[in-house]
């Protein structure tokens, strides 16, 4: 077999469909978010503003986090030295886990190198702990949840997105004695819609199922202490396992689950994705702990974040752009064609110094390709005006439809 030719074919398919992704070289500047410097392929540099980052609150440049990381790296050096079981557990990791357990009102928390690994490792391990487990998974769950459910070797049922009645039908069809778990998200990042948490918890109670919620796009940003949508809705105590990230609103890196002490102990003891992975560097854990502790108290930053998102959605709607608005902080503008989406992204960057990545299949269904904007407290009125003008001009230039989508 000509392996190079097969690789060429696979890559060419992406080019033909307009789905080939390119990295651009961005240098973020501490204290200047969302402004950054773009190094072009020819080596020249240009100032840009980033509108598609997941550092939702700008915490990646917060002095409290930077100071905590400096102190930790000065005290301990760079790496952790190994897996948690061998030499990679430090006071910084324990402190962060304690902060996270407190955040979610749980007995314990368990750190992973990313929320992807936390989802994959946990969901793929649960059937080892509960033989015969059936996992009911929302069809739009994140790829990490899908992968964990797929790999676990147990039974799975996929329910239509946010369709509680369909979930009920699936639960009713299975053996009432079988152990069950419902896996879903609080904020779905591509449309920015919310999961029906309370209704799912009601079904879980009725059918004796455990609940597993991914709050990755909500932690730090919702609830009086930033514990997520479940905290905002005062139902956090009804969730058995909560997954979150430290790489988005908290501005650092890493993922975790929060649950009972026994659940965390069992996952710690059985999940290969935890057992065989080197732990987060102590400085990263220290920075994340400082961020979690700070955001427990900074409601003003959360309020400003929601205000910025609301303003951007209102202004884009006012121009008739087809945005999806479910009331969250995520602002998707539907283009509906992968080639046009990539062209708009390129024109925004080249002509206006605005960076937003195109979102194409398989991240979203074909025909719903989009630009996904993530306004933050550090996007001021000047950046907002520039973006709105650019979108207005390009939408007209490309002769795209101005028809608002319903939420």
């Amino acid at each position: 077999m000509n392996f190079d030719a097969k690789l060429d074919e696979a890559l060419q398919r992406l080019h033909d469909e307009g789905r080939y992704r390119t990295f651009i070289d961005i240098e973020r500047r501490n204290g200047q978010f969302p402004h950054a410097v773009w190094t072009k392929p020819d080596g020249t540099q240009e100032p840009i503003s980033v509108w598609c980052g997941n550092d939702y609150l700008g915490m990646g440049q917060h002095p409290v986090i930077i100071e905590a990381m400096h102190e930790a790296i000065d005290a301990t050096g760079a790496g952790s030295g190994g897996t948690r079981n061998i030499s990679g557990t430090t006071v910084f990791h324990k402190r962060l886990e304690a902060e996270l357990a407190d955040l979610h009102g749980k007995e314990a928390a368990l750190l992973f190198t990313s929320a992807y690994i936390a989802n994959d490792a946990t969901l793929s391990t649960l059937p080892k702990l509960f033989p015969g487990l059936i996992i009911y998974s929302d069809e739009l769950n994140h790829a990490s949840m899908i992968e964990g459910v797929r790999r676990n070797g147990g039974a799975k049922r996929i329910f239509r997105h946010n369709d509680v009645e369909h979930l009920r039908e699936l639960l009713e069809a299975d053996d009432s004695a079988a152990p069950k778990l419902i896996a879903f998200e609080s904020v779905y990042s591509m449309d920015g819609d919310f999961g029906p948490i309370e209704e799912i918890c009601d079904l879980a109670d009725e059918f004796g199922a455990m609940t597993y919620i991914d709050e990755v796009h909500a932690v730090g940003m919702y609830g009086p202490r930033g514990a997520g949508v479940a905290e905002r809705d005062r139902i956090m105590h009804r969730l058995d396992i909560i997954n979150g990230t430290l790489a988005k609103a908290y501005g650092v890196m890493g993922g975790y689950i929060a649950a009972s002490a026994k659940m965390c102990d069992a996952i710690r003891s059985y999940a290969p994705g935890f057992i065989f992975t080197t732990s987060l560097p102590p400085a990263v854990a220290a920075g994340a702990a400082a961020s979690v502790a700070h955001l427990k108290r900074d409601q003003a930053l959360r309020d400003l974040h929601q205000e910025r998102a609301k303003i951007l959605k209102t202004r884009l709607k006012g121009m008739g752009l087809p945005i999806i608005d479910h009331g969250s902080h995520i602002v998707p503008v539907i283009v509906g064609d992968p080639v046009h989406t990539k062209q708009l992204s390129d024109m925004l960057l080249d002509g206006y110094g605005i960076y937003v990545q195109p979102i194409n299949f398989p991240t979203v269904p074909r025909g719903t390709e989009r630009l996904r904007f993530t306004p933050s407290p550090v996007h001021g009125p000047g950046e907002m005006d520039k973006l709105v003008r650019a979108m207005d001009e390009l939408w007209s230039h490309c002769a795209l439809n101005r028809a608002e989508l319903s939420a």
Side-chain angles (χ1 to χ4, degrees):
M1 176 179 286
N2 186 334
F3 293 103
D4 281 346
K6 289 296 181 184
L7 292 175
D8 288 338
E9 289 175 13
L11 292 171
Q12 189 59 47
R13 285 197 298 272
L14 297 178
H15 282 288
D16 293 343
E17 296 174 17
R19 295 195 296 118
Y20 183 77
R21 302 172 190 231
T22 57
F23 295 150
I24 75 166
D25 296 329
I26 298 176
E27 184 180 346
R28 304 206 314 169
R29 298 288 173 89
N30 182 28
Q32 299 178 29
F33 295 4
H35 300 288
V37 174
W38 168 37
T39 300
K40 298 181 178 183
D42 63 5
T44 60
Q45 293 188 323
E46 181 178 319
I48 62 170
S49 60
V50 178
W51 276 93
C52 56
N54 285 339
D55 185 355
Y56 289 130
L57 301 177
M59 293 299 288
Q61 64 177 353
H62 199 288
V64 169
I65 285 80
I66 302 299
E67 181 181 358
M69 295 185 74
H70 274 299
E71 289 178 357
I73 202 166
D74 288 343
T76 68
S80 67
T83 67
R84 292 289 295 278
N85 290 322
I86 297 175
S87 60
T89 297
T90 70
V91 295
F92 299 101
H93 297 86
K94 300 293 284 185
R95 186 180 304 155
L96 175 53
E97 286 175 337
E99 283 283 2
L100 293 167
D102 171 76
L103 175 70
H104 292 291
K106 300 298 183 186
E107 292 178 338
L110 187 65
L111 281 176
F112 294 81
T113 50
S114 73
Y116 187 107
I117 298 299
N119 272 332
D120 185 10
T122 302
L123 289 168
S124 63
T125 298
L126 287 171
K128 300 176 187 176
L129 307 174
F130 306 100
L133 180 70
I134 303 172
I135 295 183
Y136 303 81
S137 178
D138 188 290
E139 67 177 342
L140 293 190
N141 277 342
H142 189 265
S144 58
M145 300 175 76
I146 294 170
E147 185 65 13
V149 172
R150 185 188 67 79
R151 289 198 311 109
N152 67 29
K156 64 179 182 291
R157 312 281 186 261
I158 309 303
F159 61 93
R160 291 187 291 270
H161 178 53
N162 283 348
D163 190 333
V164 179
E165 288 307 311
H166 186 218
L167 175 58
R168 170 181 285 280
E169 291 172 10
L170 295 174
L171 287 163
E172 288 176 337
D174 283 317
D175 182 357
S176 60
K180 301 174 177 66
L181 177 138
I182 306 170
F184 61 107
E185 299 185 36
S186 62
V187 178
Y188 290 85
S189 63
M190 288 301 110
D191 284 353
D193 56 327
F194 295 95
I197 304 174
E198 186 170 16
E199 292 90 339
I200 287 177
C201 287
D202 289 343
L203 277 182
D205 289 346
E206 181 180 345
F207 289 90
M210 294 184 293
T211 48
Y212 184 108
I213 190 170
D214 180 311
E215 289 255 36
V216 160
H217 291 276
V219 289
M221 295 172 284
Y222 296 87
R225 298 202 307 159
V229 178
E231 184 194 30
R232 182 199 69 180
D233 296 347
R234 299 182 179 181
I235 51 177
M236 195 161 53
H237 61 285
R238 301 183 64 186
L239 296 156
D240 294 296
I241 305 174
I242 298 173
N243 168 276
T245 186
L246 303 163
K248 292 181 171 60
Y250 291 118
V252 193
M253 179 186 174
Y256 64 89
I257 60 168
S260 69
K262 285 184 181 179
M263 181 66 77
C264 289
D265 193 21
I267 298 299
R268 178 189 70 85
S269 301
Y270 280 88
F274 176 86
I275 295 169
F276 299 105
T277 300
T278 298
S279 64
L280 291 170
V284 171
S291 186
V292 172
H294 176 86
L295 285 176
K296 287 176 180 178
R297 306 183 301 272
D298 198 343
Q299 184 60 39
L301 193 61
R302 278 188 283 279
D303 291 342
L304 183 58
H305 180 221
Q306 292 294 323
E307 177 188 295
R308 291 281 192 268
K310 185 176 181 180
I311 290 171
L312 179 59
K313 286 185 285 190
T314 299
R315 295 187 66 178
L316 293 177
K317 282 182 185 179
M319 298 188 305
L321 267 61
I323 82 165
I324 300 175
D325 182 7
H326 289 285
S328 75
H329 60 283
I330 293 167
V331 186
V333 179
I334 303 299
V335 180
D337 176 88
V339 175
H340 291 162
T341 308
K342 180 66 166 63
Q343 288 174 342
L344 279 170
S345 173
D346 290 343
M347 287 188 286
L348 281 168
L349 184 62
D350 291 333
Y352 299 89
I354 293 171
Y355 176 52
V356 57
Q357 269 283 10
I359 306 293
N360 295 323
F361 179 84
T363 307
V364 295
R366 297 181 194 275
T368 70
E369 292 83 3
R370 67 198 63 186
L371 299 175
R372 176 181 173 273
F373 297 96
T374 53
S376 75
V378 295
H379 288 95
E383 288 89 8
M384 189 85 69
D385 289 343
K386 185 177 180 182
L387 173 63
V388 170
R389 285 197 302 269
M391 289 293 287
D392 191 22
E393 291 173 11
L394 288 180
W395 221 257
S396 297
H397 175 75
C398 297
L400 296 169
N401 290 332
R402 294 181 184 260
E404 183 180 333
L405 295 180
S406 59

PDB file of all heavy atoms in Angstrom, residues 2 29 32 66 84-85 145 198 225 244 250 258 263 283 301 331 338 355 370 375:
ATOM      1  N   ASN A   2       0.439   2.244  -0.761  1.00  0.00           N
ATOM      2  CA  ASN A   2       1.123   3.532  -0.759  1.00  0.00           C
ATOM      3  C   ASN A   2       0.518   4.385   0.355  1.00  0.00           C
ATOM      4  O   ASN A   2      -0.529   5.019   0.182  1.00  0.00           O
ATOM      5  CB  ASN A   2       0.959   4.215  -2.121  1.00  0.00           C
ATOM      6  CG  ASN A   2       1.772   5.491  -2.226  1.00  0.00           C
ATOM      7  OD1 ASN A   2       2.070   6.143  -1.223  1.00  0.00           O
ATOM      8  ND2 ASN A   2       2.145   5.853  -3.454  1.00  0.00           N
ATOM      9  N   ARG A  29      -0.710  38.526  24.697  1.00  0.00           N
ATOM     10  CA  ARG A  29       0.101  39.436  25.486  1.00  0.00           C
ATOM     11  C   ARG A  29      -0.557  39.662  26.849  1.00  0.00           C
ATOM     12  O   ARG A  29      -1.671  40.172  26.937  1.00  0.00           O
ATOM     13  CB  ARG A  29       0.282  40.769  24.745  1.00  0.00           C
ATOM     14  CG  ARG A  29       1.016  40.639  23.403  1.00  0.00           C
ATOM     15  CD  ARG A  29       2.492  40.345  23.607  1.00  0.00           C
ATOM     16  NE  ARG A  29       3.196  40.064  22.360  1.00  0.00           N
ATOM     17  CZ  ARG A  29       3.759  40.990  21.598  1.00  0.00           C
ATOM     18  NH1 ARG A  29       3.656  42.267  21.920  1.00  0.00           N
ATOM     19  NH2 ARG A  29       4.404  40.647  20.498  1.00  0.00           N
ATOM     20  N   GLN A  32      -3.092  42.473  28.015  1.00  0.00           N
ATOM     21  CA  GLN A  32      -3.668  43.129  26.842  1.00  0.00           C
ATOM     22  C   GLN A  32      -4.799  42.338  26.195  1.00  0.00           C
ATOM     23  O   GLN A  32      -5.256  42.679  25.108  1.00  0.00           O
ATOM     24  CB  GLN A  32      -2.567  43.378  25.796  1.00  0.00           C
ATOM     25  CG  GLN A  32      -1.455  44.279  26.275  1.00  0.00           C
ATOM     26  CD  GLN A  32      -0.363  44.468  25.235  1.00  0.00           C
ATOM     27  OE1 GLN A  32      -0.616  44.406  24.035  1.00  0.00           O
ATOM     28  NE2 GLN A  32       0.860  44.688  25.687  1.00  0.00           N
ATOM     29  N   ILE A  66      -1.473  34.717  38.005  1.00  0.00           N
ATOM     30  CA  ILE A  66      -0.069  34.817  37.597  1.00  0.00           C
ATOM     31  C   ILE A  66       0.852  34.756  38.817  1.00  0.00           C
ATOM     32  O   ILE A  66       1.875  34.045  38.814  1.00  0.00           O
ATOM     33  CB  ILE A  66       0.175  36.134  36.817  1.00  0.00           C
ATOM     34  CG1 ILE A  66      -0.741  36.211  35.585  1.00  0.00           C
ATOM     35  CG2 ILE A  66       1.638  36.259  36.423  1.00  0.00           C
ATOM     36  CD1 ILE A  66      -0.540  35.116  34.579  1.00  0.00           C
ATOM     37  N   ARG A  84       0.038  10.556  39.718  1.00  0.00           N
ATOM     38  CA  ARG A  84      -0.384  10.833  41.097  1.00  0.00           C
ATOM     39  C   ARG A  84       0.004   9.684  42.029  1.00  0.00           C
ATOM     40  O   ARG A  84       0.308   9.904  43.205  1.00  0.00           O
ATOM     41  CB  ARG A  84      -1.892  11.060  41.154  1.00  0.00           C
ATOM     42  CG  ARG A  84      -2.375  12.333  40.480  1.00  0.00           C
ATOM     43  CD  ARG A  84      -2.011  13.590  41.223  1.00  0.00           C
ATOM     44  NE  ARG A  84      -2.648  13.704  42.517  1.00  0.00           N
ATOM     45  CZ  ARG A  84      -3.887  14.133  42.747  1.00  0.00           C
ATOM     46  NH1 ARG A  84      -4.656  14.472  41.720  1.00  0.00           N
ATOM     47  NH2 ARG A  84      -4.352  14.219  43.970  1.00  0.00           N
ATOM     48  N   ASN A  85      -0.012   8.451  41.523  1.00  0.00           N
ATOM     49  CA  ASN A  85       0.292   7.296  42.364  1.00  0.00           C
ATOM     50  C   ASN A  85       1.776   7.141  42.664  1.00  0.00           C
ATOM     51  O   ASN A  85       2.148   6.499  43.652  1.00  0.00           O
ATOM     52  CB  ASN A  85      -0.205   6.011  41.691  1.00  0.00           C
ATOM     53  CG  ASN A  85      -1.713   5.918  41.665  1.00  0.00           C
ATOM     54  OD1 ASN A  85      -2.366   6.305  42.622  1.00  0.00           O
ATOM     55  ND2 ASN A  85      -2.266   5.426  40.579  1.00  0.00           N
ATOM     56  N   MET A 145     -17.368  12.732  25.978  1.00  0.00           N
ATOM     57  CA  MET A 145     -18.389  11.904  26.616  1.00  0.00           C
ATOM     58  C   MET A 145     -18.770  10.748  25.693  1.00  0.00           C
ATOM     59  O   MET A 145     -18.907   9.602  26.135  1.00  0.00           O
ATOM     60  CB  MET A 145     -19.606  12.754  26.963  1.00  0.00           C
ATOM     61  CG  MET A 145     -19.303  13.897  27.913  1.00  0.00           C
ATOM     62  SD  MET A 145     -20.714  14.990  28.198  1.00  0.00           S
ATOM     63  CE  MET A 145     -21.704  13.985  29.319  1.00  0.00           C
ATOM     64  N   GLU A 198     -33.155  19.980  35.865  1.00  0.00           N
ATOM     65  CA  GLU A 198     -34.116  19.570  36.889  1.00  0.00           C
ATOM     66  C   GLU A 198     -34.998  18.424  36.399  1.00  0.00           C
ATOM     67  O   GLU A 198     -35.254  17.456  37.135  1.00  0.00           O
ATOM     68  CB  GLU A 198     -34.980  20.750  37.315  1.00  0.00           C
ATOM     69  CG  GLU A 198     -35.910  20.424  38.474  1.00  0.00           C
ATOM     70  CD  GLU A 198     -36.580  21.654  39.059  1.00  0.00           C
ATOM     71  OE1 GLU A 198     -36.576  22.717  38.410  1.00  0.00           O
ATOM     72  OE2 GLU A 198     -37.098  21.536  40.186  1.00  0.00           O
ATOM     73  N   ARG A 225     -21.372  31.354  43.162  1.00  0.00           N
ATOM     74  CA  ARG A 225     -19.932  31.164  43.370  1.00  0.00           C
ATOM     75  C   ARG A 225     -19.240  30.607  42.138  1.00  0.00           C
ATOM     76  O   ARG A 225     -18.081  30.217  42.204  1.00  0.00           O
ATOM     77  CB  ARG A 225     -19.675  30.235  44.562  1.00  0.00           C
ATOM     78  CG  ARG A 225     -20.198  30.770  45.889  1.00  0.00           C
ATOM     79  CD  ARG A 225     -19.470  30.123  47.070  1.00  0.00           C
ATOM     80  NE  ARG A 225     -19.511  28.668  46.980  1.00  0.00           N
ATOM     81  CZ  ARG A 225     -18.648  27.862  47.611  1.00  0.00           C
ATOM     82  NH1 ARG A 225     -17.681  28.365  48.356  1.00  0.00           N
ATOM     83  NH2 ARG A 225     -18.757  26.557  47.497  1.00  0.00           N
ATOM     84  N   GLY A 244     -15.963  19.237  35.189  1.00  0.00           N
ATOM     85  CA  GLY A 244     -15.663  20.633  34.884  1.00  0.00           C
ATOM     86  C   GLY A 244     -14.261  20.785  34.329  1.00  0.00           C
ATOM     87  O   GLY A 244     -13.463  19.842  34.324  1.00  0.00           O
ATOM     88  N   TYR A 250     -11.708  29.492  34.035  1.00  0.00           N
ATOM     89  CA  TYR A 250     -10.656  29.630  35.054  1.00  0.00           C
ATOM     90  C   TYR A 250      -9.304  30.000  34.458  1.00  0.00           C
ATOM     91  O   TYR A 250      -8.378  30.335  35.197  1.00  0.00           O
ATOM     92  CB  TYR A 250     -10.562  28.355  35.896  1.00  0.00           C
ATOM     93  CG  TYR A 250     -11.784  28.167  36.772  1.00  0.00           C
ATOM     94  CD1 TYR A 250     -12.607  27.057  36.617  1.00  0.00           C
ATOM     95  CD2 TYR A 250     -12.139  29.114  37.724  1.00  0.00           C
ATOM     96  CE1 TYR A 250     -13.749  26.897  37.394  1.00  0.00           C
ATOM     97  CE2 TYR A 250     -13.269  28.966  38.506  1.00  0.00           C
ATOM     98  CZ  TYR A 250     -14.068  27.852  38.340  1.00  0.00           C
ATOM     99  OH  TYR A 250     -15.201  27.709  39.118  1.00  0.00           O
ATOM    100  N   ALA A 258     -16.221  16.089  40.381  1.00  0.00           N
ATOM    101  CA  ALA A 258     -16.554  16.282  41.788  1.00  0.00           C
ATOM    102  C   ALA A 258     -17.703  15.341  42.108  1.00  0.00           C
ATOM    103  O   ALA A 258     -18.688  15.280  41.360  1.00  0.00           O
ATOM    104  CB  ALA A 258     -16.949  17.731  42.069  1.00  0.00           C
ATOM    105  N   MET A 263     -16.892   7.631  45.253  1.00  0.00           N
ATOM    106  CA  MET A 263     -16.866   7.653  43.789  1.00  0.00           C
ATOM    107  C   MET A 263     -15.502   8.114  43.285  1.00  0.00           C
ATOM    108  O   MET A 263     -14.909   7.495  42.378  1.00  0.00           O
ATOM    109  CB  MET A 263     -17.962   8.571  43.245  1.00  0.00           C
ATOM    110  CG  MET A 263     -18.029   8.639  41.724  1.00  0.00           C
ATOM    111  SD  MET A 263     -18.513   7.090  40.947  1.00  0.00           S
ATOM    112  CE  MET A 263     -20.288   7.120  41.261  1.00  0.00           C
ATOM    113  N   ALA A 283       2.634  24.298  39.327  1.00  0.00           N
ATOM    114  CA  ALA A 283       2.324  25.704  39.077  1.00  0.00           C
ATOM    115  C   ALA A 283       0.954  25.860  38.424  1.00  0.00           C
ATOM    116  O   ALA A 283       0.223  26.816  38.703  1.00  0.00           O
ATOM    117  CB  ALA A 283       3.403  26.337  38.186  1.00  0.00           C
ATOM    118  N   LEU A 301     -17.610  40.212  37.870  1.00  0.00           N
ATOM    119  CA  LEU A 301     -17.011  39.775  36.608  1.00  0.00           C
ATOM    120  C   LEU A 301     -17.991  38.895  35.836  1.00  0.00           C
ATOM    121  O   LEU A 301     -18.109  39.015  34.603  1.00  0.00           O
ATOM    122  CB  LEU A 301     -15.715  39.017  36.879  1.00  0.00           C
ATOM    123  CG  LEU A 301     -14.804  38.749  35.676  1.00  0.00           C
ATOM    124  CD1 LEU A 301     -14.344  40.057  35.042  1.00  0.00           C
ATOM    125  CD2 LEU A 301     -13.602  37.909  36.094  1.00  0.00           C
ATOM    126  N   VAL A 331     -22.239  33.000  21.320  1.00  0.00           N
ATOM    127  CA  VAL A 331     -22.918  33.726  20.245  1.00  0.00           C
ATOM    128  C   VAL A 331     -22.583  33.080  18.897  1.00  0.00           C
ATOM    129  O   VAL A 331     -21.606  33.441  18.246  1.00  0.00           O
ATOM    130  CB  VAL A 331     -22.514  35.211  20.237  1.00  0.00           C
ATOM    131  CG1 VAL A 331     -23.333  35.988  19.207  1.00  0.00           C
ATOM    132  CG2 VAL A 331     -22.675  35.831  21.624  1.00  0.00           C
ATOM    133  N   PRO A 338     -19.553  25.417   4.519  1.00  0.00           N
ATOM    134  CA  PRO A 338     -18.188  25.383   5.042  1.00  0.00           C
ATOM    135  C   PRO A 338     -17.219  26.303   4.315  1.00  0.00           C
ATOM    136  O   PRO A 338     -16.353  26.925   4.937  1.00  0.00           O
ATOM    137  CB  PRO A 338     -17.774  23.910   4.889  1.00  0.00           C
ATOM    138  CG  PRO A 338     -18.684  23.359   3.845  1.00  0.00           C
ATOM    139  CD  PRO A 338     -19.980  24.100   4.003  1.00  0.00           C
ATOM    140  N   TYR A 355      -9.998  37.769  14.833  1.00  0.00           N
ATOM    141  CA  TYR A 355      -9.780  36.328  14.709  1.00  0.00           C
ATOM    142  C   TYR A 355     -10.957  35.560  15.295  1.00  0.00           C
ATOM    143  O   TYR A 355     -11.251  35.651  16.482  1.00  0.00           O
ATOM    144  CB  TYR A 355      -8.490  35.924  15.424  1.00  0.00           C
ATOM    145  CG  TYR A 355      -8.232  34.436  15.418  1.00  0.00           C
ATOM    146  CD1 TYR A 355      -8.251  33.721  14.224  1.00  0.00           C
ATOM    147  CD2 TYR A 355      -7.972  33.749  16.594  1.00  0.00           C
ATOM    148  CE1 TYR A 355      -8.007  32.358  14.210  1.00  0.00           C
ATOM    149  CE2 TYR A 355      -7.717  32.385  16.588  1.00  0.00           C
ATOM    150  CZ  TYR A 355      -7.739  31.689  15.391  1.00  0.00           C
ATOM    151  OH  TYR A 355      -7.506  30.341  15.373  1.00  0.00           O
ATOM    152  N   ARG A 370     -20.764  27.631  11.077  1.00  0.00           N
ATOM    153  CA  ARG A 370     -20.956  28.912  11.760  1.00  0.00           C
ATOM    154  C   ARG A 370     -19.649  29.561  12.190  1.00  0.00           C
ATOM    155  O   ARG A 370     -18.587  28.930  12.222  1.00  0.00           O
ATOM    156  CB  ARG A 370     -21.798  28.671  13.015  1.00  0.00           C
ATOM    157  CG  ARG A 370     -21.091  27.841  14.068  1.00  0.00           C
ATOM    158  CD  ARG A 370     -22.055  27.247  15.077  1.00  0.00           C
ATOM    159  NE  ARG A 370     -22.995  26.324  14.449  1.00  0.00           N
ATOM    160  CZ  ARG A 370     -24.010  25.762  15.098  1.00  0.00           C
ATOM    161  NH1 ARG A 370     -24.204  26.020  16.365  1.00  0.00           N
ATOM    162  NH2 ARG A 370     -24.818  24.942  14.477  1.00  0.00           N
ATOM    163  N   PRO A 375     -17.748  36.557  23.449  1.00  0.00           N
ATOM    164  CA  PRO A 375     -17.411  37.844  24.082  1.00  0.00           C
ATOM    165  C   PRO A 375     -17.072  37.647  25.552  1.00  0.00           C
ATOM    166  O   PRO A 375     -17.591  36.738  26.204  1.00  0.00           O
ATOM    167  CB  PRO A 375     -18.701  38.656  23.912  1.00  0.00           C
ATOM    168  CG  PRO A 375     -19.782  37.636  23.749  1.00  0.00           C
ATOM    169  CD  PRO A 375     -19.153  36.480  23.040  1.00  0.00           C
TER     170      PRO A 375
END
